[in-house]
Amino acid sequence: MTVDRIPLEEVFMRMAEELAKRSTCARNQVGTVITNADLTQVLGIGYNGNAKGLPNSCDSQEPGKCGCLHSELNALVKAGAMTPGKTMFVTVSPCVMCAKMTVNSNVERVFYREAYREPSGLDVLRQAGIEVNRYDQLRDHWR
């Protein structure tokens, strides 16, 4: 792929990667950016971690029981469920529950860098008619 300047999709994916660095999750740092349909406005951002006002640490070291809110949930809360046509950029593909919340929040497209260990969330998104794209082809350009 040859592109003269950095595409907005890559810009927002990199924003999600930077947000992931704020995560306090010991196992997997994830970041999310949600935009409007034409990629001209950021509607919500998130990263995985504990609830506001609680300690910046996991509740448990056991995978699946860390107690962190997922980055998608944190971003969706801010983006407004009723706004139609949203696009989500997330560093790791959504789990099943985050995928279901994404469906119910009027997101139409999801871009992700890496696949989550359990790919069922992607199946949920596709089943609901959401466009899903693994987006990593320009990861090493413009660095």
Side-chain angles (χ1 to χ4, degrees):
M1 176 182 266
T2 305
V3 180
D4 291 338
R5 63 182 183 155
I6 191 168
L8 286 173
E9 291 85 355
E10 184 64 25
V11 170
F12 291 124
M13 188 59 74
R14 289 180 188 201
M15 285 176 68
E17 289 174 330
E18 290 301 310
L19 285 164
K21 294 174 184 176
R22 288 193 47 84
S23 170
T24 56
C25 182
R27 189 180 58 79
N28 197 10
Q29 295 179 310
V30 182
T32 301
V33 174
I34 298 176
T35 70
N36 64 344
D38 67 359
L39 308 181
T40 59
Q41 296 177 0
V42 173
L43 304 176
I45 62 170
Y47 48 90
N48 54 334
N50 215 338
K52 181 171 61 173
L54 297 180
N56 286 327
S57 61
C58 295
D59 296 342
S60 166
Q61 295 302 314
E62 186 178 344
K65 295 187 180 183
C66 74
C68 288
L69 296 172
H70 290 194
S71 72
E72 300 94 328
L73 172 59
N74 280 323
L76 286 167
V77 164
K78 297 168 190 141
M82 299 313 294
T83 303
K86 292 187 287 288
T87 300
M88 176 184 283
F89 297 88
V90 62
T91 57
V92 178
S93 63
C95 69
V96 169
M97 291 309 292
C98 285
K100 289 178 179 182
M101 287 185 293
T102 299
V103 170
N104 281 356
S105 297
N106 291 307
V107 172
E108 290 185 0
R109 297 187 301 164
V110 173
F111 291 88
Y112 69 96
R113 277 281 204 237
E114 303 294 332
Y116 184 56
R117 60 184 156 88
E118 211 317 291
S120 300
L122 294 173
D123 296 334
V124 168
L125 295 172
R126 289 184 184 109
Q127 195 173 29
I130 293 175
E131 179 186 332
V132 177
N133 301 286
R134 180 162 188 183
Y135 191 81
D136 64 354
Q137 64 270 28
L138 299 174
R139 179 182 230 167
D140 297 325
H141 293 39
W142 299 285
R143 294 276 176 189

